[in-house]
Amino acid sequence: MLDAEIYERMLGTAATVAEPLQAAIAAIGPIEIAPPAHASLAERLFVEVVNQQLSTKAALSIWTRIEAAAAAQDGTPRDLFIPGTEVLLRSCGVSANKVRALHAIREAEEAGLLGPELATLLHAERSAVLCRIRGVGPWTADMAGIFHFLDPDIWPVGDVAAVGVLRRLAGIEDTVAVAAQFAPYRSILARYMWRSRDAAPVAA
């Protein structure tokens, strides 16, 4: 669960920005920061590449098909991210560019570029390394930083959902400036923005 002191700091900072922002954080309450869901960075990157520019529902559907295709061959998804599986992955709904990115991530891992030393780097340094991999851009690096490395101070400027919710709640267009007020807990702010989006009622 989120440390009580950090939670109170989030509330206090939000109060200085806009009442709707504070109210949204208060309505959610202290959040749980789950440990990394994937055993390796490559596994996280595989999922995030599939997630790129898709709704959560669409991305999950495609990933489920990948898992089923891999299981049918008594393997795991990573076993499909090699040359010769392009047609199969495309049939799962993976775009041609994403197929190439999945291959590139596996190749980077096998080349030793995704080792534990990345955890010792600052986010900007780590992102520079990751963004040299085909198909991995700043958004994907941000997601890896937030959810795999549990970096507490990343504002994902390329995330449409987090940016959109903060703009709405803060009533301010420049979310970078707003998020800066929450440093060194900008990742926590992003998590609250995603929770707020998920909690919002669906329009009829």
Side-chain angles (χ1 to χ4, degrees), residues 17 155 157 166 172-183 186 189:
V17 176
W155 177 245
V157 295
L166 185 56
I172 299 172
E173 187 70 15
D174 184 2
T175 62
V176 173
V178 174
Q181 299 178 57
F182 288 84
R186 285 173 284 188
L189 174 64

Side-chain angles (χ1 to χ4, degrees), residues 87-168:
V87 173
L88 177 57
L89 289 172
R90 296 283 280 129
S91 72
C92 293
V94 185
S95 71
N97 283 337
K98 289 184 180 182
V99 169
R100 289 189 284 270
L102 293 170
H103 290 176
I105 293 167
R106 176 163 173 165
E107 290 168 1
E109 181 186 43
E110 292 174 347
L113 302 179
L114 301 179
E117 66 278 1
L118 288 180
T120 68
L121 300 180
L122 296 175
H123 177 61
E125 298 170 335
R126 188 169 57 235
S127 292
V129 174
L130 296 180
C131 289
R132 288 198 287 268
I133 302 171
R134 177 173 188 153
V136 176
W139 178 85
T140 304
D142 285 349
M143 295 303 104
I146 293 172
F147 294 108
H148 186 75
F149 294 103
L150 302 184
D151 188 319
D153 196 32
I154 297 169
W155 177 245
V157 295
D159 190 87
V160 173
V163 168
V165 174
L166 185 56
R167 281 177 176 162
R168 174 174 57 81

Side-chain angles (χ1 to χ4, degrees), residues 6-130:
I6 296 175
Y7 175 64
E8 290 302 323
R9 179 167 174 171
M10 298 294 293
L11 284 176
T13 303
T16 69
V17 176
E19 189 281 330
L21 180 59
Q22 183 193 36
I25 293 174
I28 295 167
I31 59 175
E32 181 180 357
I33 307 299
H38 300 88
S40 70
L41 174 57
E43 299 290 343
R44 182 85 227 183
L45 293 175
F46 291 146
V47 171
E48 295 301 353
V49 162
V50 171
N51 288 350
Q52 288 172 358
Q53 299 179 320
L54 294 175
S55 68
T56 302
K57 182 178 180 181
L60 178 59
S61 178
I62 292 173
W63 189 258
T64 299
R65 290 197 289 271
I66 292 172
E67 289 181 322
Q73 299 184 12
D74 295 321
T76 63
R78 69 163 51 246
D79 297 321
L80 302 182
F81 305 151
I82 56 174
T85 62
E86 292 84 356
V87 173
L88 177 57
L89 289 172
R90 296 283 280 129
S91 72
C92 293
V94 185
S95 71
N97 283 337
K98 289 184 180 182
V99 169
R100 289 189 284 270
L102 293 170
H103 290 176
I105 293 167
R106 176 163 173 165
E107 290 168 1
E109 181 186 43
E110 292 174 347
L113 302 179
L114 301 179
E117 66 278 1
L118 288 180
T120 68
L121 300 180
L122 296 175
H123 177 61
E125 298 170 335
R126 188 169 57 235
S127 292
V129 174
L130 296 180

